[in-house]
Amino acid sequence: MNYLYQASALMSDTCPQLSAAYGKLAKSIGKKAVLRMEPAIKRTLCVRCGVLLNPVTTADIHDFRHKQLCYVQVTCKLCGYSKRFYNSKNHQLWLDNPSSVVERIEFEPSSSSS
């Protein structure tokens, strides 16, 4: 998945369609292997077409601020899909929440005595 994401990042400037194919392939491999993507990486891929969302070439980014509502709207130039990411002060991702950790295993190097 990491290799496909890197290939998608390299091809997003020159050939967005190939970048979209690599992004979709990375998502499908993750689903088949039951692996989760990091939220920061997942947000850089378009939900509909899979292209890597670069602010200049493949995405339009608009920052919207009002009294209580603040969000960033990202629109894909390839397929036209738009997604909003809200910026509330007290918002916390589930992975950053301490209750999301079920078990923590720490490995210590084995000390071999000669």
Side-chain angles (χ1 to χ4, degrees), residues 10 17 29 34 36 48 50 64 68 75 81 84 87 94:
L10 287 174
Q17 291 81 10
I29 287 174
V34 193
R36 292 182 184 261
R48 187 184 292 170
F64 180 76
Q68 294 178 347
T75 305
Y81 185 80
R84 292 181 180 178
N87 299 342
W94 172 251

Side-chain angles (χ1 to χ4, degrees), residues 28-86:
S28 65
I29 287 174
K31 284 181 183 178
K32 184 163 183 143
V34 193
L35 297 173
R36 292 182 184 261
M37 280 188 181
E38 185 73 23
I41 293 174
K42 191 187 291 186
R43 287 182 176 193
T44 61
L45 295 174
C46 178
V47 175
R48 187 184 292 170
C49 67
V51 71
L52 187 86
L53 298 171
N54 283 337
V56 178
T57 56
T58 58
D60 288 328
I61 297 177
H62 300 287
D63 190 17
F64 180 76
R65 296 181 188 271
H66 195 56
K67 292 179 183 177
Q68 294 178 347
L69 185 66
C70 297
Y71 62 87
V72 175
Q73 183 169 353
V74 180
T75 305
C76 178
K77 289 183 180 178
L78 195 64
C79 67
Y81 185 80
S82 63
K83 189 166 184 175
R84 292 181 180 178
F85 299 106
Y86 290 94

Side-chain angles (χ1 to χ4, degrees), residues 106-111:
E106 293 186 21
F107 294 101
E108 295 180 14
S110 61
S111 60

